[in-house]
Every structure is written in structure tokens, then in C-alpha cells.
Amino acid sequence: MSTTTEKKQTIKELGNSLIEEFRSQLKGEIVQASDPEYNEARKVFNGMINKHPGIIVYCEDVADVMACVNFGRENSLLVAIRGGGHNGGGLGICEEGLVIDLSGLKSVRVNLADQTVRVGGGNLWGEVDHATHPFGLAIPAGIISSTGVAGLTLGGGVGHLSRKYGLTIDNLLEADMVLADGSFVTVNKDQNKDLFWAIRGGGGNFGVITSFKFQAHPVSTVIGGPTLWPIEKTDEIMSWYHDFISNAPDDLNGFIATMVIPGPPFPEELHNKMFCGIVWCYTGEPAEFDKLFQEVRDKNPIFEHVGEMPYPAIQTLFDGLFPSGLQWYWRADFFNDFSEEVRAAHLKYGSSIPTPLSQMHLYPITGAASRVGNEDTPWAYRDAKYAGVIVGVSPEPEDAPKITQWCKDYWEALHPYSSGGAYSNFMMEEGQERVQASYKHNYDRLTEIKKTYDPNNLFRVNQNIKPKT
């Protein structure tokens, strides 16, 4: 068996006969560099990522996944796992190695008896919402429907329903997974408890998840949408928002942003102007909303587009602005408060956004998400108030340097006032020190579990947790 110190092989070094033997074990399709569809197959959501894997396998069932894991391990290949391909750092793909693509493992089954939902490892959240909404149910997830279920879940899962029903991992009941030795296990609160703990925030470090079982909740129609203030009001709005959202009932969620209005569907007079905005989502009694929201309206937003809508509509609100293939650069941190220095940095960099799609978001980690212990899952920042992210975004490759620099400058101005780590789903490849900071006191336990189930670090194209030595 390979070890982390051994030289990794490339597909080119294996020879055609070995690859053909591997192909014969699979139900799914293999794509190699010589195939006409290769350049399309190697694309991920972030157009800034330009990696050239040796082989991509489109798995169709669990047996395919097991064959891929065994092939990668036995031949000392670099192995990447691609669910939705949405990861900012492009960690669903690798150079010259094997990509295990799960997009063929799709199914969503709703069990009305206990309001649970079984979801395939290759599903996107929009597909889950489509299946659950007719039953008046939803699973807490993110804010973009094209996000993959697997990646978002394994990293934690922050979104519109976090204050009401917790993170996605707080609603994960069970998972089926293929381990580094090729074996198949089910993990839940009674079976393989250590692995079940580890995958609820520990990323793809411990195996390939082929299906998830979630607890769903009664969510059908929500009241939501954005309110905007001129960017010059950032200090005032952030100061007010911090107190307001911390004391708001769990039914109300709202993430705050510095942003540019890029164009339609917003009114023309707002286009290409910079704003401090909040995107709201309310799950409570509609009759009580106006009274609760009056304090927001008293802050005199210059634009309000908040109304009743089906839950899948708020999940798709921004899909059209962010199609696959744009240039993305991400930086992130957790924050506990908005000091004067923090507010000043947001005003400064929110006033110099380099492209219309670049923006900063701060997601509240209050309400239900904060009532889980810091050791109950690997997600070690339950006591932080916000998960912050800065994204430089552009359709133009030539904009990559300026959106990257803006992100880095913005982040460096804020980082001294942060909690030290970041939500792993918002991180690029930033080194081992950042990974450890983001798991804090839970990192050591994760390394022990990694040593047990993946001692040679086969699954390392991720925010990597190294096996304990």
C-alpha cells in the first residue's frame, strides 16, 4: 500500500493495458486526455481552475466508486472526488491523477412518515429542493441551487435556514461511504460513530459519500429578498444589523453584504452602483412579519424587494448571476463582532469593488446553529457570530489578477479582527496552518480518525486533515 511519502504515479505511467482492465470493471464512463470530451469534462464551477487530470470516471453506482478507490490506491494515484464541482479552490479535480465524478449517483427519496430524505452523493441542492418542496419540506442548505449536496454538507452547510434549523450537518442523520481500503460502510449515531462525527464538517477526508440521509423540516413559503443602502451607510447599517440579527427570532435570517448591482433584474438606476445590502429569509407566521420587519424599514433602505415566495425561489435567486465558468477567488474568516475597525474596512473595500459580481457576505451563526456544542461536530466555531467570505468574481480571465488582489487586500485588512479560522467551504488552497486554525481544538481528534480510516492520506485533495503520526 502507498504512503504519503511515496512518489505518486500518473495515469501516463500506468500503461493502456492496466487502464483497459480498469475500464472493464466499471459500469460508468472513463474520459481521458485523448478523448474529444476531455476539455469539457475537466471543467469545474470556478473558471480560474485549469487542472488536467489523467483520467475522469463518471461513476454510476457504488460498485464503480469502490473500483475507483481501489484503482487509485493500488496504483498510488492522486485522487480527487467531484460532487457538484462547486468548490472555490477547485478541490474536486487534480493534476494528472484520478477524478471520481459522482454526478451519476443521483436520487432523492422523501419519506413522509418521518420527514427524512435520502439523497445521492452526486445530487445538486436544486434537485433536492425540487423533490422536497411539493411535500412542504426543506433541508437547510446554502444560497445557490447549483451547489453540490456532498461538498456543502461535508464542510458544514451555512444558508438561509441556519438560524431556524441549524447547519446542514446538524440535519445529517446518516451516510453511506466508501473508505480508503475500498470497503463500504454506513455511518450514523449508532454505527461507526467516530466517522459519523468526522464527516459532519471534516470534509472529504474520510471517504467517498455515496448517499446521505437528512432530516427535513416544514418549510414551504418564505418571505425573503434584498434590502439595499448606499455603500456610504455601511458603518451605520453594520452596527445596527449586529444587534438586530443577534436578537431576532430564529425565524428570521439575513446575511449582510457589500456588493455591486450588476444589472437586471434590478432597476436600471441601481446598476453598477455599490451598496451595503442584506438578503432576508423569514420562515415564521406571515401575519407577524411586518411588525418584526418594521425596524428594518425604519433604517430607510433605498431599495426593498422582500416578499412571499416558495422556498426554492429564494434558493435560486442568484443562480442567474453566477453561472458555471466564471473566474472566482475566495478568502474567508469567522468573526465575533463588528468593531469600528471592521466596519471601516468593509466601507473601504466595499467602496472599491473591482467587478460587478465581486462581493462580501457575512452569514449569521446565531439561533439554532449556535446551540450545538463546539465539540459535537468538527465545526469548531459555533460561538462565532458570523462566517464571512470575500469573493472576487468576473467572466473575464484577464480580470483574475485584480479580483484576486482585491480579495487578498480586503481579507488582510479584516483578518487581525477575526476569530482565526474560516468556514472550510469558503477557502482556497491556503496551507496546513489555515486548515488547523479552522478546526481549532477538534483538529487533533480528526487526525486520529484519519489515521484509523485513511492512514496513507489517499483522500488528500481537499482541506486536508493529515493522519496523526
CSV table of all heavy atoms in Angstrom, one decimal, residues 80-127:
chain,number,residue,atom,x,y,z
A,80,ALA,N,-9.0,12.7,-6.6
A,80,ALA,CA,-9.9,13.8,-6.3
A,80,ALA,C,-11.4,13.3,-6.4
A,80,ALA,O,-11.7,12.5,-7.3
A,80,ALA,CB,-9.7,15.0,-7.2
A,81,ILE,N,-12.2,13.8,-5.6
A,81,ILE,CA,-13.6,13.4,-5.6
A,81,ILE,C,-14.5,14.7,-6.0
A,81,ILE,O,-14.4,15.7,-5.4
A,81,ILE,CB,-14.1,13.0,-4.2
A,81,ILE,CG1,-13.2,11.9,-3.6
A,81,ILE,CG2,-15.5,12.5,-4.2
A,81,ILE,CD1,-13.2,11.8,-2.1
A,82,ARG,N,-15.2,14.5,-7.1
A,82,ARG,CA,-16.0,15.6,-7.6
A,82,ARG,C,-17.5,15.3,-7.4
A,82,ARG,O,-18.0,14.4,-8.0
A,82,ARG,CB,-15.7,15.9,-9.0
A,82,ARG,CG,-16.4,17.1,-9.6
A,82,ARG,CD,-15.9,17.5,-10.9
A,82,ARG,NE,-16.1,16.6,-12.0
A,82,ARG,CZ,-15.6,16.7,-13.2
A,82,ARG,NH1,-14.9,17.8,-13.6
A,82,ARG,NH2,-15.9,15.8,-14.1
A,83,GLY,N,-18.2,16.1,-6.5
A,83,GLY,CA,-19.6,16.0,-6.4
A,83,GLY,C,-20.3,17.0,-7.4
A,83,GLY,O,-20.6,16.6,-8.5
A,84,GLY,N,-20.5,18.2,-6.9
A,84,GLY,CA,-21.1,19.2,-7.8
A,84,GLY,C,-20.1,20.0,-8.5
A,84,GLY,O,-20.4,20.8,-9.4
A,85,GLY,N,-18.8,19.9,-8.1
A,85,GLY,CA,-17.7,20.7,-8.7
A,85,GLY,C,-17.7,22.1,-8.4
A,85,GLY,O,-17.1,23.0,-9.1
A,86,HIS,N,-18.4,22.5,-7.3
A,86,HIS,CA,-18.7,23.9,-7.0
A,86,HIS,C,-17.6,24.5,-6.1
A,86,HIS,O,-17.5,25.7,-5.8
A,86,HIS,CB,-20.0,24.0,-6.3
A,86,HIS,CG,-20.8,25.3,-6.5
A,86,HIS,ND1,-20.5,26.5,-6.0
A,86,HIS,CD2,-21.9,25.5,-7.3
A,86,HIS,CE1,-21.4,27.4,-6.4
A,86,HIS,NE2,-22.2,26.8,-7.2
A,87,ASN,N,-16.7,23.7,-5.6
A,87,ASN,CA,-15.7,24.1,-4.6
A,87,ASN,C,-14.8,25.3,-5.2
A,87,ASN,O,-14.3,25.2,-6.3
A,87,ASN,CB,-14.8,23.0,-4.2
A,87,ASN,CG,-13.7,23.4,-3.3
A,87,ASN,OD1,-12.6,23.7,-3.7
A,87,ASN,ND2,-14.0,23.4,-2.0
A,88,GLY,N,-14.7,26.3,-4.4
A,88,GLY,CA,-13.9,27.5,-4.9
A,88,GLY,C,-12.5,27.3,-5.2
A,88,GLY,O,-12.0,27.8,-6.2
A,89,GLY,N,-11.8,26.4,-4.5
A,89,GLY,CA,-10.5,26.1,-4.7
A,89,GLY,C,-10.2,25.0,-5.8
A,89,GLY,O,-9.1,24.6,-6.1
A,90,GLY,N,-11.3,24.5,-6.4
A,90,GLY,CA,-11.2,23.5,-7.4
A,90,GLY,C,-10.8,22.2,-6.9
A,90,GLY,O,-10.1,21.4,-7.5
A,91,LEU,N,-11.1,21.9,-5.6
A,91,LEU,CA,-10.7,20.6,-5.0
A,91,LEU,C,-11.4,19.4,-5.4
A,91,LEU,O,-11.3,18.3,-4.8
A,91,LEU,CB,-10.7,20.8,-3.4
A,91,LEU,CG,-9.8,22.0,-2.9
A,91,LEU,CD1,-9.9,22.1,-1.4
A,91,LEU,CD2,-8.3,21.7,-3.3
A,92,GLY,N,-12.3,19.5,-6.4
A,92,GLY,CA,-12.9,18.4,-7.0
A,92,GLY,C,-12.2,17.8,-8.2
A,92,GLY,O,-12.7,16.9,-8.9
A,93,ILE,N,-11.0,18.4,-8.4
A,93,ILE,CA,-10.2,17.9,-9.6
A,93,ILE,C,-8.7,18.0,-9.2
A,93,ILE,O,-8.4,18.6,-8.2
A,93,ILE,CB,-10.5,18.8,-10.8
A,93,ILE,CG1,-10.1,18.2,-12.1
A,93,ILE,CG2,-10.0,20.2,-10.7
A,93,ILE,CD1,-11.1,18.4,-13.2
A,94,CYS,N,-7.9,17.3,-10.0
A,94,CYS,CA,-6.5,17.3,-9.7
A,94,CYS,C,-5.6,17.2,-10.9
A,94,CYS,O,-6.1,16.9,-12.0
A,94,CYS,CB,-6.2,16.1,-8.7
A,94,CYS,SG,-6.6,14.5,-9.5
A,95,GLU,N,-4.3,17.4,-10.8
A,95,GLU,CA,-3.4,17.3,-11.9
A,95,GLU,C,-2.9,15.9,-12.0
A,95,GLU,O,-2.4,15.3,-11.1
A,95,GLU,CB,-2.2,18.2,-11.7
A,95,GLU,CG,-2.4,19.7,-11.9
A,95,GLU,CD,-2.6,20.1,-13.4
A,95,GLU,OE1,-2.4,19.2,-14.2
A,95,GLU,OE2,-2.9,21.2,-13.6
A,96,GLU,N,-3.1,15.3,-13.2
A,96,GLU,CA,-2.5,14.0,-13.7
A,96,GLU,C,-3.0,12.8,-12.9
A,96,GLU,O,-2.6,11.7,-13.2
A,96,GLU,CB,-1.0,14.1,-13.6
A,96,GLU,CG,-0.4,15.2,-14.5
A,96,GLU,CD,1.1,15.1,-14.5
A,96,GLU,OE1,1.7,14.6,-13.6
A,96,GLU,OE2,1.7,15.7,-15.5
A,97,GLY,N,-4.0,13.0,-12.0
A,97,GLY,CA,-4.5,11.9,-11.2
A,97,GLY,C,-5.8,11.4,-11.7
A,97,GLY,O,-6.2,11.5,-12.8
A,98,LEU,N,-6.5,10.8,-10.7
A,98,LEU,CA,-7.9,10.2,-11.0
A,98,LEU,C,-8.9,11.0,-10.4
A,98,LEU,O,-8.9,11.4,-9.2
A,98,LEU,CB,-7.9,8.8,-10.4
A,98,LEU,CG,-9.2,8.1,-10.2
A,98,LEU,CD1,-9.9,7.8,-11.5
A,98,LEU,CD2,-9.1,6.8,-9.3
A,99,VAL,N,-9.9,11.4,-11.1
A,99,VAL,CA,-11.1,12.1,-10.6
A,99,VAL,C,-12.3,11.2,-10.5
A,99,VAL,O,-12.7,10.6,-11.6
A,99,VAL,CB,-11.5,13.3,-11.5
A,99,VAL,CG1,-12.8,14.0,-11.0
A,99,VAL,CG2,-10.3,14.4,-11.5
A,100,ILE,N,-12.8,11.0,-9.3
A,100,ILE,CA,-14.0,10.2,-9.1
A,100,ILE,C,-15.2,11.1,-9.2
A,100,ILE,O,-15.5,11.9,-8.2
A,100,ILE,CB,-13.9,9.5,-7.8
A,100,ILE,CG1,-12.7,8.6,-7.7
A,100,ILE,CG2,-15.2,8.6,-7.5
A,100,ILE,CD1,-12.5,7.9,-6.3
A,101,ASP,N,-15.9,11.1,-10.3
A,101,ASP,CA,-17.0,12.0,-10.5
A,101,ASP,C,-18.3,11.3,-10.1
A,101,ASP,O,-18.6,10.2,-10.6
A,101,ASP,CB,-17.1,12.4,-12.0
A,101,ASP,CG,-18.2,13.5,-12.2
A,101,ASP,OD1,-19.4,13.1,-12.2
A,101,ASP,OD2,-17.9,14.6,-12.4
A,102,LEU,N,-19.1,12.0,-9.2
A,102,LEU,CA,-20.3,11.3,-8.6
A,102,LEU,C,-21.6,11.8,-9.3
A,102,LEU,O,-22.7,11.5,-8.8
A,102,LEU,CB,-20.3,11.6,-7.1
A,102,LEU,CG,-19.1,11.2,-6.3
A,102,LEU,CD1,-19.3,11.5,-4.8
A,102,LEU,CD2,-18.9,9.7,-6.4
A,103,SER,N,-21.5,12.5,-10.4
A,103,SER,CA,-22.7,13.1,-10.9
A,103,SER,C,-23.7,12.1,-11.4
A,103,SER,O,-24.9,12.4,-11.6
A,103,SER,CB,-22.4,14.1,-12.1
A,103,SER,OG,-21.6,13.4,-13.1
A,104,GLY,N,-23.3,10.8,-11.6
A,104,GLY,CA,-24.2,9.8,-11.9
A,104,GLY,C,-24.9,9.1,-10.8
A,104,GLY,O,-25.9,8.3,-10.9
A,105,LEU,N,-24.5,9.5,-9.6
A,105,LEU,CA,-25.2,8.9,-8.3
A,105,LEU,C,-26.2,9.9,-7.8
A,105,LEU,O,-26.0,10.6,-6.9
A,105,LEU,CB,-24.1,8.7,-7.2
A,105,LEU,CG,-23.4,7.3,-7.3
A,105,LEU,CD1,-22.5,7.2,-8.5
A,105,LEU,CD2,-22.6,7.1,-6.0
A,106,LYS,N,-27.3,10.0,-8.6
A,106,LYS,CA,-28.4,10.9,-8.2
A,106,LYS,C,-29.7,10.2,-7.9
A,106,LYS,O,-30.1,9.4,-8.7
A,106,LYS,CB,-28.6,11.9,-9.4
A,106,LYS,CG,-27.5,12.9,-9.6
A,106,LYS,CD,-27.8,14.0,-10.6
A,106,LYS,CE,-26.7,15.0,-10.7
A,106,LYS,NZ,-27.1,16.1,-11.6
A,107,SER,N,-30.3,10.6,-6.8
A,107,SER,CA,-31.6,10.1,-6.5
A,107,SER,C,-32.0,10.9,-5.2
A,107,SER,O,-31.2,11.2,-4.4
A,107,SER,CB,-31.6,8.6,-6.2
A,107,SER,OG,-30.9,8.3,-5.0
A,108,VAL,N,-33.3,11.2,-5.2
A,108,VAL,CA,-33.9,11.9,-4.0
A,108,VAL,C,-35.2,11.2,-3.6
A,108,VAL,O,-36.1,11.1,-4.4
A,108,VAL,CB,-34.2,13.4,-4.2
A,108,VAL,CG1,-34.6,14.0,-3.0
A,108,VAL,CG2,-32.9,14.1,-4.8
A,109,ARG,N,-35.2,10.7,-2.4
A,109,ARG,CA,-36.4,10.0,-2.0
A,109,ARG,C,-36.9,10.6,-0.6
A,109,ARG,O,-36.1,10.6,0.3
A,109,ARG,CB,-36.1,8.5,-1.8
A,109,ARG,CG,-37.4,7.7,-1.4
A,109,ARG,CD,-37.2,6.2,-1.3
A,109,ARG,NE,-38.5,5.6,-0.8
A,109,ARG,CZ,-38.6,4.3,-0.5
A,109,ARG,NH1,-37.5,3.5,-0.5
A,109,ARG,NH2,-39.7,3.8,-0.1
A,110,VAL,N,-38.1,11.0,-0.6
A,110,VAL,CA,-38.7,11.7,0.6
A,110,VAL,C,-39.5,10.6,1.3
A,110,VAL,O,-40.4,10.0,0.7
A,110,VAL,CB,-39.6,12.9,0.2
A,110,VAL,CG1,-40.2,13.5,1.4
A,110,VAL,CG2,-38.8,13.9,-0.6
A,111,ASN,N,-39.3,10.5,2.6
A,111,ASN,CA,-40.1,9.6,3.5
A,111,ASN,C,-41.0,10.5,4.3
A,111,ASN,O,-40.5,11.1,5.3
A,111,ASN,CB,-39.1,8.8,4.3
A,111,ASN,CG,-39.9,7.7,5.2
A,111,ASN,OD1,-41.1,7.9,5.4
A,111,ASN,ND2,-39.2,6.7,5.6
A,112,LEU,N,-42.3,10.5,4.0
A,112,LEU,CA,-43.2,11.4,4.7
A,112,LEU,C,-43.5,10.9,6.1
A,112,LEU,O,-43.8,11.7,7.0
A,112,LEU,CB,-44.5,11.5,3.9
A,112,LEU,CG,-44.4,12.2,2.6
A,112,LEU,CD1,-45.8,12.2,1.9
A,112,LEU,CD2,-44.0,13.7,2.8
A,113,ALA,N,-43.2,9.6,6.4
A,113,ALA,CA,-43.5,9.1,7.7
A,113,ALA,C,-42.7,9.8,8.8
A,113,ALA,O,-43.2,10.1,9.9
A,113,ALA,CB,-43.3,7.6,7.8
A,114,ASP,N,-41.4,10.1,8.5
A,114,ASP,CA,-40.6,10.7,9.5
A,114,ASP,C,-39.9,12.0,8.9
A,114,ASP,O,-39.0,12.5,9.6
A,114,ASP,CB,-39.5,9.7,10.0
A,114,ASP,CG,-38.6,9.2,8.9
A,114,ASP,OD1,-38.8,9.6,7.7
A,114,ASP,OD2,-37.8,8.3,9.2
A,115,GLN,N,-40.3,12.4,7.8
A,115,GLN,CA,-39.8,13.6,7.1
A,115,GLN,C,-38.3,13.6,6.9
A,115,GLN,O,-37.6,14.5,7.2
A,115,GLN,CB,-40.2,14.9,7.9
A,115,GLN,CG,-41.7,15.1,8.0
A,115,GLN,CD,-42.2,16.4,8.6
A,115,GLN,OE1,-41.4,17.1,9.3
A,115,GLN,NE2,-43.4,16.8,8.3
A,116,THR,N,-37.8,12.4,6.5
A,116,THR,CA,-36.4,12.3,6.2
A,116,THR,C,-36.3,12.2,4.7
A,116,THR,O,-37.2,11.8,3.9
A,116,THR,CB,-35.8,11.0,6.8
A,116,THR,OG1,-36.5,9.9,6.4
A,116,THR,CG2,-35.9,11.2,8.4
A,117,VAL,N,-35.1,12.5,4.2
A,117,VAL,CA,-34.8,12.5,2.8
A,117,VAL,C,-33.5,11.8,2.5
A,117,VAL,O,-32.5,12.1,3.1
A,117,VAL,CB,-34.8,13.9,2.2
A,117,VAL,CG1,-34.6,13.9,0.7
A,117,VAL,CG2,-36.0,14.7,2.6
A,118,ARG,N,-33.5,10.8,1.6
A,118,ARG,CA,-32.3,10.1,1.2
A,118,ARG,C,-31.8,10.7,-0.2
A,118,ARG,O,-32.6,10.8,-1.1
A,118,ARG,CB,-32.6,8.6,1.0
A,118,ARG,CG,-31.4,7.8,0.5
A,118,ARG,CD,-30.3,7.6,1.5
A,118,ARG,NE,-30.8,6.7,2.6
A,118,ARG,CZ,-30.0,6.3,3.6
A,118,ARG,NH1,-28.7,6.7,3.6
A,118,ARG,NH2,-30.4,5.5,4.6
A,119,VAL,N,-30.6,11.2,-0.2
A,119,VAL,CA,-30.1,11.9,-1.3
A,119,VAL,C,-28.8,11.3,-1.8
A,119,VAL,O,-27.9,10.9,-1.0
A,119,VAL,CB,-29.8,13.4,-0.9
A,119,VAL,CG1,-29.3,14.2,-2.1
A,119,VAL,CG2,-31.0,14.0,-0.4
A,120,GLY,N,-28.6,11.2,-3.1
A,120,GLY,CA,-27.4,10.6,-3.7
A,120,GLY,C,-26.2,11.5,-3.6
A,120,GLY,O,-26.3,12.8,-3.5
A,121,GLY,N,-25.0,10.9,-3.6
A,121,GLY,CA,-23.8,11.7,-3.5
A,121,GLY,C,-23.5,12.7,-4.6
A,121,GLY,O,-22.7,13.6,-4.4
A,122,GLY,N,-24.2,12.5,-5.7
A,122,GLY,CA,-23.9,13.4,-6.9
A,122,GLY,C,-25.0,14.5,-7.1
A,122,GLY,O,-24.9,15.2,-8.1
A,123,ASN,N,-26.0,14.5,-6.2
A,123,ASN,CA,-27.1,15.5,-6.4
A,123,ASN,C,-26.6,16.9,-6.2
A,123,ASN,O,-25.7,17.2,-5.4
A,123,ASN,CB,-28.3,15.2,-5.5
A,123,ASN,CG,-29.2,14.1,-6.0
A,123,ASN,OD1,-29.1,13.0,-5.6
A,123,ASN,ND2,-30.0,14.5,-7.0
A,124,LEU,N,-27.4,17.9,-6.8
A,124,LEU,CA,-27.2,19.3,-6.5
A,124,LEU,C,-28.4,19.7,-5.6
A,124,LEU,O,-29.5,19.0,-5.6
A,124,LEU,CB,-27.3,20.1,-7.8
A,124,LEU,CG,-26.2,19.7,-8.9
A,124,LEU,CD1,-26.4,20.6,-10.1
A,124,LEU,CD2,-24.8,19.7,-8.3
A,125,TRP,N,-28.2,20.8,-4.9
A,125,TRP,CA,-29.3,21.2,-4.0
A,125,TRP,C,-30.6,21.6,-4.7
A,125,TRP,O,-31.7,21.4,-4.1
A,125,TRP,CB,-28.8,22.3,-3.1
A,125,TRP,CG,-28.0,21.8,-1.9
A,125,TRP,CD1,-26.7,21.9,-1.8
A,125,TRP,CD2,-28.5,21.0,-0.9
A,125,TRP,NE1,-26.3,21.2,-0.6
A,125,TRP,CE2,-27.3,20.6,-0.1
A,125,TRP,CE3,-29.7,20.5,-0.5
A,125,TRP,CZ2,-27.4,19.9,1.1
A,125,TRP,CZ3,-29.8,19.7,0.7
A,125,TRP,CH2,-28.7,19.4,1.4
A,126,GLY,N,-30.5,22.1,-5.9
A,126,GLY,CA,-31.7,22.4,-6.6
A,126,GLY,C,-32.6,21.2,-6.9
A,126,GLY,O,-33.8,21.3,-6.9
A,127,GLU,N,-31.9,20.1,-7.1
A,127,GLU,CA,-32.6,18.8,-7.4
A,127,GLU,C,-33.3,18.3,-6.1
A,127,GLU,O,-34.4,17.8,-6.1
A,127,GLU,CB,-31.7,17.8,-7.9
A,127,GLU,CG,-31.1,18.2,-9.3
A,127,GLU,CD,-29.8,17.4,-9.6
A,127,GLU,OE1,-29.2,16.8,-8.7
A,127,GLU,OE2,-29.4,17.4,-10.8
